[in-house]
Amino acid sequence: MIRTLKRRSVMAVTTCTALGATLLTFTQAQAEPAAAAAPDIPVGAVVQDLKDLQQISDDNGGNRAHGQPGHKASVDYVKAKLDAAGFETSLQEFTHGGATGYNLIADWPGGDPNQVLMAGAHIDSVSDGSGISDNGSGSAGVLEVALAVAEADLKPTKHLRFAWWGAEEVGLAGSRHYVDGLAAGQAETIDGYLNADMIASPNPGYFVYDSDPALEKVFTDWFSAKSIPTEASTETNGRSDHASFQNAGIPVGGLFTGAGATKTQEQADKWGGTAGESFDPCYHASCDDLTNISEEALDRNADALAHAVWELSG
């Protein structure tokens, strides 16, 4: 009889201990909310940035090209917004082809400086036009994601850095200048670079860089959840600023809606738009203005970029 009571007492204590552990785990789960999802980036804000970049072009000879006043004015426009939002900004001057170019770097305070996540876009146009699709779209998308970070007062585990590159259209000169100027060991602290070059082409496709499987998956999972099919990007291979980082051994990812290549019937069937025409009929032409974008593609890609920044920065 005494042995039976002792055994029952032990069982009761064990049961209570297990129940207590379960309740503690449940309480901790309630006290530790899941990481916040990325906010929806208002496409109207991105479009307003494009309107402002168009006006800058109109006021400065019809372009925002390397070495031209419209380029520096575009950089100053983005810098002013980031400064007001609390970013630590710096201008990097460089010379290419006898002309001065500018990179704008914006760091969000906090996060591990030995784990840096970067997102960027080139902000120069070709000399023939305003460059609203190429690459006002990427520049404005990255800007609004950065401003969303400030609005949310995001406190990521990793350090967040945003960049707007000069002189991409004349040989990736700005991003190469930045990467080549990194001090010894600094490249190893950059966990990934996300590139946004042409994210609102008027006859859009949805292309995701496939250079790094982990970064690619963050984007493809987001599009898949929205039932938007994607394809691996091939047209951008070595042709945009991510190449400067990739050549330094830094993982890269990115988004692209197509340039001068022709949309196939198969692609039109899954994405809409017009088969037999290029993704951007005004690619590198004077007609690359405010009429030359897809707001739907711009909206989707800005949101996808925000998701990647939130997801990858911890």
Side-chain angles (χ1 to χ4, degrees):
M1 183 70 171
I2 293 174
R3 290 178 181 174
T4 302
L5 287 171
K6 184 176 182 180
R7 186 165 58 249
R8 288 177 178 173
S9 297
V10 171
M11 291 175 62
V13 170
T14 302
T15 302
C16 289
T17 300
L19 179 59
T22 301
L23 290 172
L24 179 60
T25 301
F26 178 72
T27 302
Q28 287 175 332
Q30 286 184 316
E32 299 173 3
D40 178 81
I41 303 300
V43 70
V46 191
V47 170
Q48 183 58 55
D49 292 332
L50 294 181
K51 290 178 179 178
D52 293 339
L53 290 175
Q54 178 70 65
Q55 189 62 55
I56 288 171
S57 174
D58 293 344
D59 292 343
N60 290 277
N63 67 62
R64 301 180 301 100
H66 169 66
Q68 300 301 312
H71 171 60
K72 180 59 162 55
S74 298
V75 171
D76 291 344
Y77 166 81
V78 173
K79 186 178 186 300
K81 288 201 163 194
L82 295 166
D83 287 340
F87 280 85
E88 297 172 355
T89 64
S90 60
L91 275 183
Q92 224 182 35
E93 290 191 19
F94 60 92
T95 301
H96 180 79
T100 301
Y102 301 91
N103 292 329
L104 172 62
I105 311 299
D107 286 272
W108 181 239
D112 185 349
N114 293 311
Q115 290 184 295
V116 179
L117 177 67
M118 290 189 69
H122 76 85
I123 195 168
D124 63 314
S125 72
V126 294
S127 59
D128 288 339
S130 302
I132 298 303
S133 172
D134 182 18
N135 185 38
S137 62
S139 294
V142 172
L143 172 59
E144 290 304 325
V145 170
L147 294 178
V149 165
E151 178 68 23
D153 194 22
L154 192 65
K155 297 185 180 355
T157 301
K158 296 181 181 180
H159 181 73
L160 281 176
R161 181 173 299 147
F162 298 89
W164 290 261
W165 309 115
E168 188 271 354
E169 297 289 9
V170 290
L172 317 183
S175 56
R176 282 195 291 106
H177 175 80
Y178 174 82
V179 173
D180 290 348
L182 292 173
Q186 280 190 320
E188 287 76 12
T189 68
I190 302 175
D191 283 355
Y193 170 74
L194 307 176
N195 197 52
D197 190 353
M198 300 183 67
I199 60 171
S201 303
N203 189 27
Y206 292 91
F207 298 97
V208 176
Y209 295 11
D210 63 351
S211 305
D212 182 86
L215 299 183
E216 179 186 17
K217 187 175 186 300
V218 172
F219 285 121
T220 55
D221 284 353
W222 185 89
F223 281 104
S224 178
K226 307 289 184 185
S227 298
I228 303 169
T230 59
E231 288 184 15
S233 172
T234 57
E235 194 180 358
T236 54
N237 287 349
R239 293 181 55 192
S240 191
D241 294 298
H242 64 285
S244 300
F245 290 83
Q246 190 172 15
N247 291 340
I250 297 167
V252 300
L255 300 170
F256 177 56
T257 49
T262 300
K263 178 178 277 188
T264 66
Q265 185 60 59
E266 181 183 6
Q267 290 169 329
D269 289 342
K270 66 182 177 183
W271 288 327
T274 306
E277 291 188 4
S278 60
F279 294 99
D280 184 353
C282 290
Y283 177 57
H284 283 183
S286 60
C287 55
D288 185 7
D289 56 23
L290 276 174
T291 66
N292 191 49
I293 61 166
S294 163
E295 285 195 23
E296 180 179 60
L298 185 66
D299 190 18
R300 289 172 169 176
N301 281 294
D303 289 342
L305 181 61
H307 166 75
V309 168
W310 256 252
E311 184 79 9
L312 293 168
S313 66

